[in-house]
Amino acid sequence: MWAVKVPVNIHGGGIPHSSTTKNGCNNFFIVRKSLVKMCSTKRQSFQLTPIKSQIEPLPIMVNGCTGKMGRAVLEASISAGLQPVSLCFSGPEDAGKTVEAGGKEITVHGPSDRENILSSVFEEHPNLIVVDYTVPAAVNDNAELYSKVGVPFVMGTTGGDREKLYKTVADSKVYAVISPQMGKQVVAFLAAMEIMAEQFPGAFSGYSLQVMESHQASKLDTSGTAKAVISCFEKLGVSFNMDEVQLIRDPVQQVEMVGVPEEYLLGHAFHMYHLTSPDGTVSFEFQHNVCGRSIYAEGTVDAILFLAKKVKLKEEKRIYDMIDVLREGNMR
Amino acid sequence: MWAVKVPVNIHGGGIPHSSTTKNGCNNFFIVRKSLVKMCSTKRQSFQLTPIKSQIEPLPIMVNGCTGKMGRAVLEASISAGLQPVSLCFSGPEDAGKTVEAGGKEITVHGPSDRENILSSVFEEHPNLIVVDYTVPAAVNDNAELYSKVGVPFVMGTTGGDREKLYKTVADSKVYAVISPQMGKQVVAFLAAMEIMAEQFPGAFSGYSLQVMESHQASKLDTSGTAKAVISCFEKLGVSFNMDEVQLIRDPVQQVEMVGVPEEYLLGHAFHMYHLTSPDGTVSFEFQHNVCGRSIYAEGTVDAILFLAKKVKLKEEKRIYDMIDVLREGNMR
């Protein structure tokens, strides 16, 4: 259906295939080129369809909705049939602004009188779920506010004092999903790697590892996910120095070498791990490549639906993470 | 250390990068080409080193040592410091032949008087482990022989009546590792996929899947490993029809399109699974690519070492598989 039907040199020819066959390494790179074409077609035929009918009306409040991630969550939530209330909180610089999403206007409130406002909204919408995509400096204050009012929340904001965050939530017994990584599929992949490493220590003993990751130029440090996956490979018996991670931050390289679509140069997370056996006859490769924020916004919607269910069932456990959301299975 | 140092068009240029950037798909194919070069270098610097000092002298008998897999196991075992006895069993057509491996001559015995011969060898070498890489038609008879004599064995031969095989071994209480797939790392990968599918059902809901596998032209059916991995993806929420697996069996395509090294056209197992999110912004890729028999031979050595340990410890559990071997961790 795909590779075979595409002439080998459809992408410009002149590729010296002989260079790929005179060693013990394995690669699908020529096929990959036809894959790219195929994905382009698939993309048109697999659009997300609204699934409103399956989900009860569920009011949400997305704090930080003036930011890119907050807006993405708003849009994904509306597509999924969730119902944003007409206001949200954000920093003082955004107070009084209006955000429009899905034909709905949301008024942005600054830091003043937040407790009264949130209490009123919660009273009006007793099954409200708050979503937080604000800034690291606001994480603890916001968690305290939600905990004091007793409104369940999904915290996607990174940073802040995490220990304090969990203590606040635990003490208040409010329901919450807390995760700095909302990309469900990435979390699932990492969890699978962690399980493999734990259950089969040394299974890849002697293998050599190459890691490459590409992120927007503004990201200075090595990807945390890459570090976590590498530590799994280390448990699997692979010797690797974190300095050996190939960081791609140059937009020209990202486009020409890595194949990042130009429109995602300012927001992408590509990761590749390539393992080779000591004698070069075996290779494994794992890739997780994310463009934009859609995966995180969709994962956040899943976290909201998950949390609403837990609140409704009055579950004893109150604090959850994305592994819990994943374990629940697909809910829409 | 690698990709960046390779000029983008070192492999012939003329690649229309623009075609890869006008869609939401993610790919590393240009980097991959430099990976190929790099692997070629790595291969020379990572040779298996003998590790005799770590392993006690352990006598083994490799039945089916006239076959390619039997010979590969003999060679890997000798490299690992194991000590093949001077005879083995094989089919009547090989009776009387001599096999040389690692400077040692092994006389091949046909079907006659096997019980007496095996009993004598076992008496002389009480910590003997038998390895079986014969033919499907011999699986049950051989297992009965080993069970009757009471010698522990590693059964790598596929086929036969598997239910009967397990019953024979269970009734005799002989120690055995039985696995039709001895490639430890492939088993680990599949196990990780199975765990992910079981724990996170529906995590990849809505994703589309493309699968390609390349094997020697003589293999007519779809790879069993591919089928097993696909069934995991189905549990993860991916809709896929087994007919959609792209089987590559044409040697020209294997070399030019898939990148199989020419010397491995008669024995390789390349697998690629590519997942794309509904909106095309996220992709995952998993590959496991095996050339030749080294991975299976090395896994068999691990199974032998594992079994010898279990016999020595007089473990209550007697029948093991490669998952058990993997759980034990790296033993050399």
Side-chain angles (χ1 to χ4, degrees):
Chain A
M1 3 118 355
W2 34 285
V4 170
K5 289 188 181 170
V6 178
V8 166
N9 61 353
I10 197 169
H11 291 276
I15 300 159
H17 300 307
S18 59
S19 73
T20 72
T21 59
K22 285 182 181 157
N23 62 67
C25 288
N26 314 314
N27 70 94
F28 274 120
F29 74 88
I30 302 170
V31 168
R32 182 174 300 255
K33 282 196 259 171
S34 58
L35 254 181
V36 170
K37 286 179 71 69
M38 179 203 61
C39 288
S40 180
T41 313
K42 285 265 177 185
R43 193 186 184 188
Q44 288 147 24
S45 57
F46 281 88
Q47 289 302 317
L48 274 174
T49 47
I51 37 156
K52 293 177 189 177
S53 59
Q54 295 167 35
I55 296 167
E56 289 177 36
L58 186 59
I60 59 166
M61 178 188 200
V62 181
N63 293 332
C65 73
T66 48
K68 287 172 183 168
M69 196 57 226
R71 171 170 281 283
V73 169
L74 264 183
E75 286 165 0
S77 300
I78 292 167
S79 287
L82 306 184
Q83 300 183 333
V85 298
S86 60
L87 59 87
C88 79
F89 298 134
S90 202
E93 67 285 3
D94 292 324
K97 284 186 185 169
T98 300
V99 170
E100 212 205 285
K104 197 155 186 174
E105 285 201 346
I106 296 162
T107 308
V108 181
H109 283 258
S112 62
D113 206 26
R114 301 197 312 165
E115 192 179 329
N116 279 337
I117 295 172
L118 183 59
S119 297
S120 299
V121 175
F122 193 30
E123 207 165 298
E124 194 184 339
H125 304 283
N127 54 340
L128 180 74
I129 304 275
V130 166
V131 180
D132 195 292
Y133 275 104
T134 55
V135 291
V139 161
N140 294 104
D141 275 358
N142 287 0
E144 270 165 34
L145 172 67
Y146 311 146
S147 297
K148 195 168 179 190
V149 175
V151 61
F153 68 96
V154 173
M155 175 65 78
T157 316
T158 56
D161 182 336
R162 305 303 282 190
E163 205 175 316
K164 195 177 164 197
L165 166 63
Y166 283 96
K167 192 178 180 315
T168 302
V169 181
D171 288 350
S172 74
K173 296 191 176 165
V174 78
Y175 284 90
V177 173
I178 302 174
S179 172
Q181 166 60 276
M182 288 286 179
K184 253 174 62 173
Q185 294 77 19
V186 175
V187 172
F189 167 73
L190 178 56
M193 285 290 163
E194 281 172 354
I195 291 165
M196 180 158 72
E198 194 187 317
Q199 296 214 356
F200 313 134
F204 284 82
S205 183
Y207 275 58
S208 58
L209 175 64
Q210 297 89 43
V211 181
M212 183 174 73
E213 58 97 329
S214 173
H215 284 78
Q216 54 279 4
S218 61
K219 181 172 173 62
L220 299 178
D221 57 338
T222 304
S223 149
T225 310
K227 284 183 188 169
V229 173
I230 289 165
S231 85
C232 293
F233 284 127
E234 286 176 333
K235 282 179 203 150
L236 286 163
V238 174
S239 167
F240 191 82
N241 191 320
M242 218 51 93
D243 298 342
E244 295 169 47
V245 176
Q246 177 74 37
L247 303 187
I248 312 289
R249 295 291 182 270
D250 173 29
V252 174
Q253 287 181 340
Q254 292 176 337
V255 171
E256 296 189 349
M257 199 175 73
V258 181
V260 177
E262 283 188 51
E263 67 262 41
Y264 291 113
L265 283 176
L266 295 180
H268 68 274
F270 278 34
H271 297 79
M272 185 191 62
Y273 316 90
H274 188 95
L275 288 155
T276 313
S277 69
D279 69 354
T281 61
V282 183
S283 74
F284 282 77
E285 191 168 305
F286 304 92
Q287 284 190 34
H288 50 100
N289 301 332
V290 172
C291 288
R293 295 171 190 85
S294 159
I295 187 176
Y296 313 117
E298 293 298 332
T300 305
V301 171
D302 286 316
I304 296 166
L305 295 172
F306 168 92
L307 195 61
K309 195 173 158 189
K310 296 298 161 192
V311 173
K312 195 174 176 185
L313 293 169
K314 295 178 180 158
E315 292 281 356
E316 204 170 318
K317 182 174 173 175
R318 307 278 175 132
I319 308 180
Y320 301 94
D321 59 21
M322 283 307 277
I323 296 280
D324 298 310
V325 176
L326 281 161
R327 285 218 180 92
E328 195 81 2
N330 187 43
M331 287 174 299
R332 43 179 182 146
Chain B
M1 14 139 325
W2 34 283
V4 170
K5 289 188 181 170
V6 179
V8 166
N9 61 353
I10 197 168
H11 290 277
I15 300 160
H17 299 308
S18 60
S19 73
T20 72
T21 58
K22 285 182 180 159
N23 62 67
C25 288
N26 315 313
N27 69 94
F28 274 121
F29 74 87
I30 301 170
V31 168
R32 183 174 300 255
K33 282 197 259 172
S34 59
L35 253 181
V36 171
K37 287 179 70 70
M38 179 204 61
C39 289
S40 179
T41 314
K42 285 265 176 186
R43 193 187 183 187
Q44 288 147 24
S45 57
F46 281 88
Q47 289 302 317
L48 275 173
T49 48
I51 39 157
K52 292 176 189 177
S53 59
Q54 295 168 35
I55 296 167
E56 289 177 36
L58 186 59
I60 60 164
M61 177 188 201
V62 181
N63 292 333
C65 71
T66 49
K68 287 173 183 168
M69 196 57 226
R71 171 170 281 284
V73 169
L74 264 183
E75 286 165 0
S77 299
I78 291 166
S79 287
L82 307 184
Q83 300 182 332
V85 297
S86 59
L87 60 87
C88 80
F89 298 133
S90 201
E93 68 286 2
D94 291 325
K97 283 185 184 169
T98 301
V99 170
E100 213 205 284
K104 197 156 185 174
E105 284 201 347
I106 296 162
T107 307
V108 181
H109 283 258
S112 62
D113 207 26
R114 301 197 311 166
E115 191 178 329
N116 279 335
I117 295 171
L118 184 59
S119 296
S120 299
V121 175
F122 193 30
E123 207 164 300
E124 195 185 339
H125 303 283
N127 54 341
L128 180 74
I129 304 274
V130 167
V131 180
D132 195 291
Y133 273 104
T134 56
V135 291
V139 161
N140 295 102
D141 275 358
N142 288 359
E144 270 165 34
L145 172 67
Y146 311 145
S147 297
K148 196 169 178 191
V149 175
V151 60
F153 69 95
V154 173
M155 176 65 78
T157 316
T158 55
D161 181 336
R162 305 303 282 190
E163 203 174 317
K164 195 178 163 195
L165 166 63
Y166 283 95
K167 190 179 180 316
T168 302
V169 181
D171 290 349
S172 73
K173 295 190 176 166
V174 77
Y175 284 92
V177 174
I178 302 174
S179 172
Q181 167 59 277
M182 288 285 179
K184 255 174 61 172
Q185 295 77 18
V186 175
V187 172
F189 168 72
L190 179 56
M193 285 290 162
E194 282 172 354
I195 292 164
M196 180 158 72
E198 194 186 318
Q199 296 214 357
F200 312 133
F204 285 82
S205 183
Y207 275 59
S208 58
L209 174 65
Q210 298 89 43
V211 181
M212 183 174 73
E213 58 96 330
S214 173
H215 284 79
Q216 54 280 3
S218 60
K219 181 172 173 60
L220 299 178
D221 57 338
T222 304
S223 150
T225 310
K227 283 183 188 169
V229 173
I230 289 164
S231 84
C232 293
F233 284 127
E234 286 176 333
K235 282 178 202 150
L236 286 163
V238 174
S239 167
F240 191 82
N241 190 321
M242 218 50 93
D243 299 342
E244 295 169 46
V245 175
Q246 176 75 36
L247 303 187
I248 312 291
R249 294 290 181 273
D250 172 30
V252 174
Q253 287 182 340
Q254 291 176 337
V255 171
E256 295 189 349
M257 199 175 73
V258 181
V260 177
E262 282 189 52
E263 67 264 40
Y264 290 114
L265 284 176
L266 295 180
H268 67 275
F270 278 33
H271 297 79
M272 184 190 62
Y273 316 90
H274 188 95
L275 289 155
T276 313
S277 69
D279 68 355
T281 60
V282 182
S283 74
F284 282 77
E285 191 167 304
F286 304 92
Q287 285 190 34
H288 49 100
N289 301 334
V290 172
C291 287
R293 295 171 190 85
S294 160
I295 186 176
Y296 313 117
E298 293 298 331
T300 305
V301 170
D302 286 315
I304 296 167
L305 295 172
F306 169 91
L307 196 61
K309 195 172 159 189
K310 296 298 161 192
V311 172
K312 196 174 176 184
L313 293 170
K314 295 180 181 154
E315 291 281 356
E316 204 170 317
K317 182 174 173 176
R318 307 278 174 130
I319 309 180
Y320 301 94
D321 60 21
M322 284 307 279
I323 296 281
D324 298 308
V325 176
L326 281 161
R327 284 218 181 93
E328 195 80 2
N330 188 43
M331 287 175 298
R332 43 178 181 147

mmCIF file of all heavy atoms in Angstrom, chain A residues 67-90:
data_model
loop_
_atom_site.group_PDB
_atom_site.id
_atom_site.type_symbol
_atom_site.label_atom_id
_atom_site.label_comp_id
_atom_site.label_asym_id
_atom_site.label_seq_id
_atom_site.Cartn_x
_atom_site.Cartn_y
_atom_site.Cartn_z
ATOM 1 N N GLY A 67 -2.437 32.515 27.527
ATOM 2 C CA GLY A 67 -1.202 31.891 27.021
ATOM 3 C C GLY A 67 -1.505 30.888 25.918
ATOM 4 O O GLY A 67 -2.660 30.512 25.683
ATOM 5 N N LYS A 68 -0.448 30.450 25.241
ATOM 6 C CA LYS A 68 -0.628 29.534 24.106
ATOM 7 C C LYS A 68 -1.189 28.194 24.532
ATOM 8 O O LYS A 68 -2.053 27.615 23.882
ATOM 9 C CB LYS A 68 0.707 29.345 23.389
ATOM 10 C CG LYS A 68 1.126 30.567 22.584
ATOM 11 C CD LYS A 68 2.531 30.408 22.048
ATOM 12 C CE LYS A 68 2.962 31.679 21.307
ATOM 13 N NZ LYS A 68 4.403 31.677 21.013
ATOM 14 N N MET A 69 -0.693 27.696 25.647
ATOM 15 C CA MET A 69 -1.139 26.385 26.098
ATOM 16 C C MET A 69 -2.577 26.455 26.615
ATOM 17 O O MET A 69 -3.400 25.587 26.328
ATOM 18 C CB MET A 69 -0.176 25.863 27.177
ATOM 19 C CG MET A 69 -0.289 24.391 27.462
ATOM 20 S SD MET A 69 -0.047 23.310 26.031
ATOM 21 C CE MET A 69 -1.438 22.206 26.286
ATOM 22 N N GLY A 70 -2.883 27.527 27.378
ATOM 23 C CA GLY A 70 -4.246 27.712 27.874
ATOM 24 C C GLY A 70 -5.242 27.780 26.728
ATOM 25 O O GLY A 70 -6.304 27.142 26.756
ATOM 26 N N ARG A 71 -4.863 28.532 25.684
ATOM 27 C CA ARG A 71 -5.759 28.662 24.527
ATOM 28 C C ARG A 71 -5.948 27.313 23.837
ATOM 29 O O ARG A 71 -7.057 26.948 23.436
ATOM 30 C CB ARG A 71 -5.200 29.704 23.556
ATOM 31 C CG ARG A 71 -5.930 29.756 22.236
ATOM 32 C CD ARG A 71 -5.522 30.933 21.388
ATOM 33 N NE ARG A 71 -6.167 32.169 21.819
ATOM 34 C CZ ARG A 71 -7.435 32.482 21.552
ATOM 35 N NH1 ARG A 71 -8.201 31.636 20.877
ATOM 36 N NH2 ARG A 71 -7.953 33.602 21.972
ATOM 37 N N ALA A 72 -4.861 26.568 23.701
ATOM 38 C CA ALA A 72 -4.952 25.248 23.045
ATOM 39 C C ALA A 72 -5.882 24.324 23.827
ATOM 40 O O ALA A 72 -6.675 23.569 23.248
ATOM 41 C CB ALA A 72 -3.563 24.622 22.917
ATOM 42 N N VAL A 73 -5.798 24.394 25.151
ATOM 43 C CA VAL A 73 -6.673 23.563 25.989
ATOM 44 C C VAL A 73 -8.131 23.998 25.820
ATOM 45 O O VAL A 73 -9.030 23.160 25.700
ATOM 46 C CB VAL A 73 -6.250 23.639 27.475
ATOM 47 C CG1 VAL A 73 -7.301 23.004 28.375
ATOM 48 C CG2 VAL A 73 -4.901 22.968 27.684
ATOM 49 N N LEU A 74 -8.347 25.313 25.784
ATOM 50 C CA LEU A 74 -9.712 25.830 25.572
ATOM 51 C C LEU A 74 -10.293 25.264 24.291
ATOM 52 O O LEU A 74 -11.415 24.748 24.264
ATOM 53 C CB LEU A 74 -9.682 27.356 25.462
ATOM 54 C CG LEU A 74 -9.968 28.178 26.708
ATOM 55 C CD1 LEU A 74 -9.948 29.666 26.361
ATOM 56 C CD2 LEU A 74 -11.315 27.804 27.342
ATOM 57 N N GLU A 75 -9.512 25.348 23.221
ATOM 58 C CA GLU A 75 -10.005 24.892 21.917
ATOM 59 C C GLU A 75 -10.272 23.391 21.893
ATOM 60 O O GLU A 75 -11.310 22.938 21.406
ATOM 61 C CB GLU A 75 -9.018 25.316 20.819
ATOM 62 C CG GLU A 75 -9.124 26.816 20.537
ATOM 63 C CD GLU A 75 -7.962 27.383 19.732
ATOM 64 O OE1 GLU A 75 -7.051 26.605 19.374
ATOM 65 O OE2 GLU A 75 -7.964 28.606 19.478
ATOM 66 N N ALA A 76 -9.331 22.623 22.439
ATOM 67 C CA ALA A 76 -9.522 21.163 22.464
ATOM 68 C C ALA A 76 -10.710 20.790 23.337
ATOM 69 O O ALA A 76 -11.467 19.857 23.026
ATOM 70 C CB ALA A 76 -8.251 20.477 22.967
ATOM 71 N N SER A 77 -10.890 21.521 24.438
ATOM 72 C CA SER A 77 -12.004 21.237 25.353
ATOM 73 C C SER A 77 -13.341 21.488 24.676
ATOM 74 O O SER A 77 -14.274 20.685 24.800
ATOM 75 C CB SER A 77 -11.903 22.106 26.603
ATOM 76 O OG SER A 77 -10.709 21.860 27.281
ATOM 77 N N ILE A 78 -13.418 22.610 23.974
ATOM 78 C CA ILE A 78 -14.673 22.950 23.291
ATOM 79 C C ILE A 78 -14.968 21.899 22.219
ATOM 80 O O ILE A 78 -16.095 21.425 22.085
ATOM 81 C CB ILE A 78 -14.600 24.385 22.722
ATOM 82 C CG1 ILE A 78 -14.576 25.393 23.880
ATOM 83 C CG2 ILE A 78 -15.776 24.658 21.788
ATOM 84 C CD1 ILE A 78 -14.204 26.812 23.491
ATOM 85 N N SER A 79 -13.934 21.492 21.454
ATOM 86 C CA SER A 79 -14.114 20.434 20.442
ATOM 87 C C SER A 79 -14.619 19.150 21.071
ATOM 88 O O SER A 79 -15.346 18.382 20.443
ATOM 89 C CB SER A 79 -12.800 20.141 19.725
ATOM 90 O OG SER A 79 -12.472 21.169 18.859
ATOM 91 N N ALA A 80 -14.203 18.901 22.300
ATOM 92 C CA ALA A 80 -14.580 17.657 22.970
ATOM 93 C C ALA A 80 -15.920 17.775 23.687
ATOM 94 O O ALA A 80 -16.368 16.833 24.329
ATOM 95 C CB ALA A 80 -13.493 17.250 23.962
ATOM 96 N N GLY A 81 -16.549 18.961 23.611
ATOM 97 C CA GLY A 81 -17.866 19.123 24.200
ATOM 98 C C GLY A 81 -17.870 19.666 25.616
ATOM 99 O O GLY A 81 -18.911 19.717 26.261
ATOM 100 N N LEU A 82 -16.717 20.058 26.121
ATOM 101 C CA LEU A 82 -16.674 20.657 27.461
ATOM 102 C C LEU A 82 -17.129 22.119 27.358
ATOM 103 O O LEU A 82 -17.125 22.708 26.275
ATOM 104 C CB LEU A 82 -15.257 20.578 28.044
ATOM 105 C CG LEU A 82 -14.630 19.185 28.063
ATOM 106 C CD1 LEU A 82 -13.275 19.208 28.749
ATOM 107 C CD2 LEU A 82 -15.547 18.188 28.763
ATOM 108 N N GLN A 83 -17.504 22.690 28.500
ATOM 109 C CA GLN A 83 -18.104 24.033 28.465
ATOM 110 C C GLN A 83 -17.379 25.040 29.346
ATOM 111 O O GLN A 83 -17.639 25.112 30.552
ATOM 112 C CB GLN A 83 -19.582 23.910 28.864
ATOM 113 C CG GLN A 83 -20.322 22.989 27.895
ATOM 114 C CD GLN A 83 -21.799 22.878 28.197
ATOM 115 O OE1 GLN A 83 -22.232 23.039 29.326
ATOM 116 N NE2 GLN A 83 -22.576 22.576 27.155
ATOM 117 N N PRO A 84 -16.489 25.824 28.734
ATOM 118 C CA PRO A 84 -15.774 26.838 29.532
ATOM 119 C C PRO A 84 -16.732 27.855 30.122
ATOM 120 O O PRO A 84 -17.668 28.282 29.430
ATOM 121 C CB PRO A 84 -14.849 27.508 28.505
ATOM 122 C CG PRO A 84 -14.798 26.589 27.341
ATOM 123 C CD PRO A 84 -16.105 25.841 27.334
ATOM 124 N N VAL A 85 -16.497 28.231 31.380
ATOM 125 C CA VAL A 85 -17.285 29.310 31.978
ATOM 126 C C VAL A 85 -16.783 30.633 31.394
ATOM 127 O O VAL A 85 -15.758 30.664 30.709
ATOM 128 C CB VAL A 85 -17.186 29.307 33.527
ATOM 129 C CG1 VAL A 85 -17.750 28.000 34.084
ATOM 130 C CG2 VAL A 85 -15.744 29.515 33.986
ATOM 131 N N SER A 86 -17.491 31.710 31.694
ATOM 132 C CA SER A 86 -17.213 32.951 30.973
ATOM 133 C C SER A 86 -16.088 33.788 31.583
ATOM 134 O O SER A 86 -15.908 34.949 31.225
ATOM 135 C CB SER A 86 -18.490 33.779 30.875
ATOM 136 O OG SER A 86 -18.930 34.071 32.187
ATOM 137 N N LEU A 87 -15.358 33.226 32.530
ATOM 138 C CA LEU A 87 -14.229 33.988 33.073
ATOM 139 C C LEU A 87 -13.075 33.053 33.438
ATOM 140 O O LEU A 87 -13.250 31.839 33.566
ATOM 141 C CB LEU A 87 -14.668 34.814 34.292
ATOM 142 C CG LEU A 87 -15.252 34.084 35.506
ATOM 143 C CD1 LEU A 87 -14.145 33.625 36.456
ATOM 144 C CD2 LEU A 87 -16.192 35.020 36.253
ATOM 145 N N CYS A 88 -11.908 33.642 33.574
ATOM 146 C CA CYS A 88 -10.742 32.882 34.046
ATOM 147 C C CYS A 88 -9.772 33.833 34.731
ATOM 148 O O CYS A 88 -9.930 35.052 34.661
ATOM 149 C CB CYS A 88 -10.070 32.160 32.880
ATOM 150 S SG CYS A 88 -9.027 33.226 31.883
ATOM 151 N N PHE A 89 -8.773 33.265 35.394
ATOM 152 C CA PHE A 89 -7.735 34.080 36.049
ATOM 153 C C PHE A 89 -6.468 34.081 35.210
ATOM 154 O O PHE A 89 -6.152 33.093 34.543
ATOM 155 C CB PHE A 89 -7.389 33.524 37.438
ATOM 156 C CG PHE A 89 -8.545 33.523 38.390
ATOM 157 C CD1 PHE A 89 -8.834 32.404 39.167
ATOM 158 C CD2 PHE A 89 -9.348 34.665 38.531
ATOM 159 C CE1 PHE A 89 -9.899 32.405 40.059
ATOM 160 C CE2 PHE A 89 -10.422 34.665 39.423
ATOM 161 C CZ PHE A 89 -10.690 33.531 40.185
ATOM 162 N N SER A 90 -5.767 35.191 35.303
ATOM 163 C CA SER A 90 -4.446 35.234 34.675
ATOM 164 C C SER A 90 -3.621 36.283 35.413
ATOM 165 O O SER A 90 -4.065 36.811 36.436
ATOM 166 C CB SER A 90 -4.577 35.546 33.188
ATOM 167 O OG SER A 90 -3.418 35.107 32.503
#
